[in-house]
Amino acid sequence: MTTLSTTARLAIVTTLCQSILWAADSSPLSSETAEPPSISALKTAFADHFLMGAALNTKNFTEKDAAKSALIKKHFNSITPENALKWGPIHPELDKYNFDQADRYVEFGVKNQMFTIGHTLLWHQQTPDWVFQDAKGKPLDRDALLERMRDHIQKVVGRYKGKINGWDVVNEALNDDGSLRQTQWLKIIGPDYIEKAFVFAHAADPEAELYYNDYSLELHAKRDAAVALVKKLQAAGIHISGIGSQTHAGLDRPSVQEVEDSLIAFGQLGVKVMITELDISLLPNATQNQGADVSARATYDDALNPYPDSLPQEMQEKLAARYADLFAVYIKHADKIDRVTFWGVTDGESWLNNWPVRGRVNYPLLFDRANQPKPAFHAVIRVATESKRAAQPK
Ligand code: GLA
């Protein structure tokens, strides 16, 4: 079990108390302001370890808010589009592609020299029904769907060849018990749809890194299935560069030990390991769902929304300690980890305000609703500083 030493924890708590005092007047619902310049940059603090990334929404990459743009450029050296490259937004109809948003996203990444991720080519969500149907609304056969998949991948990956550095080729193909998810891709094409997607993506841009991405990869059965999937592709000589562990976490799940076990298992595959969608929900579980199944939904109830106005100090500290524990294990296994990406930039924009219950106020990220670094931010920076200090010769 990897946790921080008592000294490291004490140091974090001291920093926390200072930053809580400093941030005391930035209520979660206050307006956005610029971050103070004296704050360390995440990407610099972790430069010796891995890239630091964030998922961006359209407002972020079209730079609608100058303070937010400055924050993104200062802290992150990798970006992922929250929605712009998913099948639904980019290819809503058979003969219609909407490249506008994706072009702006890629432009932002290239201009700011950020490691730019394409997310995602194949998923069972946010994919229109027409993809799986012929002109009469009847299910396509295997060959026709494969051809449609090849064409989509060729057009999208081909358009951003040399600009998008890595692709989440297949997202969430596994169930928690390790079996293949019964998606239309699986039902119509069969299990080799995964291999085909990687082959098509590699043909469209042989230089791009190609990843398998999923949530709850800390569950034993799912971890083993992901390992088997990567091995199967490798044995077939198919190009796969990495595995993305989404890591939509809670305060006590997954355990640090489970996170570490998965990092080790994936590291042994000889592919890059990435944390791709990191956030930590602080709200009560509203469904049986422990992972990030976007179709899980529950009805709003005040009891499920305990911090509508601000986050109590005790919870700020819990979040900070949890982030510190996760980053301690990431640094310990930094030889395997290539990138840590947060799913969003500030709390106000997080999907966790609306999933699985609409209209809650959640606090899952390192920056608050006014763009200010939270105690969790300082805790994460502190872990990096402590590790540098520990590595220095005495
Ligand atoms: C999954 C997907 C992401 C995003 C999140 C929640 O994890 O991979 O693209 O949709 O759900 O929003």
Side-chain angles (χ1 to χ4, degrees), residues 17-196:
C17 295
Q18 287 159 353
S19 50
I20 286 164
L21 286 176
W22 180 79
D25 62 350
S26 45
S27 98
L29 305 176
S30 64
S31 62
E32 294 178 354
T33 49
E35 187 202 30
S38 57
I39 299 296
S40 312
L42 285 170
K43 66 181 181 192
T44 313
F46 287 89
D48 292 344
H49 302 302
F50 31 71
L51 296 173
M52 290 298 269
L56 303 189
N57 60 33
T58 308
K59 264 176 79 182
N60 297 154
F61 59 74
T62 54
E63 306 201 56
K64 290 274 181 280
D65 172 339
K68 184 71 61 65
S69 284
L71 183 111
I72 293 166
K73 290 177 200 171
K74 172 172 173 175
H75 290 285
F76 300 106
N77 47 16
S78 175
I79 52 171
T80 301
E82 208 173 332
N83 289 302
L85 278 158
K86 289 172 179 167
W87 195 307
I90 206 169
H91 191 180
E93 292 165 35
L94 181 58
D95 295 317
K96 184 175 172 201
Y97 281 86
N98 280 337
F99 286 120
D100 292 4
Q101 289 202 9
D103 285 357
R104 299 288 301 275
Y105 162 75
V106 173
E107 205 181 293
F108 181 86
V110 169
K111 192 174 79 189
N112 295 296
Q113 296 174 307
M114 292 163 160
F115 193 87
T116 302
I117 302 298
H119 171 86
T120 173
L121 295 171
L122 286 206
W123 194 23
H124 60 288
Q125 298 285 353
Q126 293 184 257
T127 305
D129 291 343
W130 67 260
V131 173
F132 307 101
Q133 298 166 353
D134 67 14
K136 293 186 180 129
K138 296 258 159 50
L140 288 184
D141 64 20
R142 171 182 157 91
D143 287 347
L145 184 56
L146 274 174
E147 182 47 29
R148 196 161 279 181
M149 182 211 281
R150 195 199 58 75
D151 190 55
H152 175 88
I153 291 177
Q154 175 55 46
K155 286 212 171 63
V156 177
V157 176
R159 184 177 180 91
Y160 302 112
K161 188 172 172 193
K163 293 181 174 166
I164 286 191
N165 306 99
W167 283 95
D168 289 338
V169 178
V170 176
N171 197 32
E172 303 178 357
L174 297 170
N175 291 314
D176 287 357
D177 68 2
S179 58
L180 281 179
R181 191 188 286 277
Q182 286 294 315
T183 64
Q184 296 283 50
W185 299 112
L186 179 68
K187 286 182 196 158
I188 298 176
I189 297 174
D192 65 338
Y193 84 87
I194 299 174
E195 290 150 49
K196 297 286 186 197

